[in-house]
Amino acid sequence: MNYPVNEIFETIQGEGAKTGVPSIFIRLQGCPVGCSWCDTKHTWELNDNEKVSVENIINISNASSMWAELDEISLLARLKHYSAKHVVITGGEPCLYDLRPLTETLNKNGYTSQIETSGTFEIFTDNSTYVTVSPKVGMKGGFKVLQSAINRADEIKHPIATEQHIEDLKALLKLRNSLDDVCVCLQPISQKPRATELAIHHCIKNNWRLSVQMHKYLSID
């Protein structure tokens, strides 16, 4: 399976339940969801004329829309240059692609894997992969969050700024068969004070977890 890779870099996971875990990020190119607050809009379009060699996307974080095509074996070889053993597959929207070949390869070779998805596309991944669904409701692309994605999630990390976002989350949680085995996180959009206050209030009220995008506060990738 060939994947359009926008960048590969090593850092600390800054969001959700795995905050603080040393991680290798594989960012895939392409996303039709259209979140207005997206901080990686350069990954939205997959243009053939921006395909480059892999050397142009390794450890380069310059908000470029360039991408390189790599299969799971080539990606595995690249990961051996890093120390971290946890791999986060993000985007863009990584579930545009069948992630089973990649996640199965990672998990068979001593890595743990995690994907971060909007939940608007079917999730095809290894059973042991940790799935973070950050549900995107009412976005420009017009895609609906899938019940199958909500049920597959190990973690539901919901971006919020208003009370309506809380209501949207509660409606999505009703789609899930059980809430006993899922971590629910609230993530304030753009670290705005009002959104943060709202998130803290509802985390305490509902016994949810706060996700504050630590990497942005620390000014790291």
Side-chain angles (χ1 to χ4, degrees), residues 19-194:
T19 293
V21 175
S23 304
I24 306 166
F25 277 72
I26 298 175
R27 187 180 304 284
L28 301 184
Q29 189 76 13
C31 182
V33 179
C35 304
S36 60
W37 65 83
C38 177
D39 55 5
T40 57
K41 290 183 178 180
H42 59 281
T43 65
W44 287 9
E45 301 297 329
L46 182 64
N47 297 316
D48 289 341
N49 62 357
E50 293 185 292
K51 182 178 178 181
V52 296
S53 64
V54 65
E55 287 73 21
N56 290 296
I57 57 97
I58 297 292
N59 296 326
I60 297 173
S61 184
N62 59 357
S64 170
S65 54
M66 297 185 301
W67 58 276
E69 189 174 67
L70 293 94
D71 63 18
E72 62 274 14
I73 303 303
S74 299
L75 280 166
L76 179 65
R78 291 286 172 177
L79 299 185
K80 292 179 179 178
H81 296 286
Y82 302 104
S83 300
K85 293 298 181 181
H86 183 66
V87 179
V88 182
I89 306 165
T90 184
E93 173 46 71
C95 289
L96 289 173
Y97 312 102
D98 185 347
L99 299 173
R100 286 172 294 193
L102 176 55
T103 54
E104 288 170 3
T105 297
L106 293 174
N107 296 337
K108 288 177 180 177
N109 284 275
Y111 294 90
T112 56
S113 60
Q114 176 183 1
I115 66 167
E116 298 188 350
T117 174
S118 64
T120 56
F121 292 86
E122 292 289 348
I123 298 170
F124 298 108
T125 187
D126 185 75
N127 289 336
S128 63
T129 297
Y130 187 89
V131 174
T132 298
V133 173
S134 182
K136 302 303 189 294
V137 179
M139 296 297 110
K140 183 179 179 180
F143 297 94
K144 292 185 177 181
V145 177
L146 303 179
Q147 183 173 6
S148 60
I150 294 296
N151 274 304
R152 175 63 181 85
D154 296 289
E155 171 184 304
I156 297 173
K157 184 182 66 181
H158 195 57
I160 71 154
T162 67
E163 287 285 354
Q164 182 57 53
H165 295 144
I166 300 296
E167 295 305 311
D168 291 341
L169 172 60
K170 289 180 177 178
L172 290 172
L173 292 177
K174 290 180 180 178
L175 299 177
R176 190 174 169 94
N177 296 332
S178 172
L179 296 177
D180 294 337
D181 56 350
V182 65
C183 178
V184 178
C185 301
L186 296 186
Q187 185 160 291
I189 294 174
S190 301
Q191 299 84 50
K192 293 180 179 178
R194 173 66 186 123

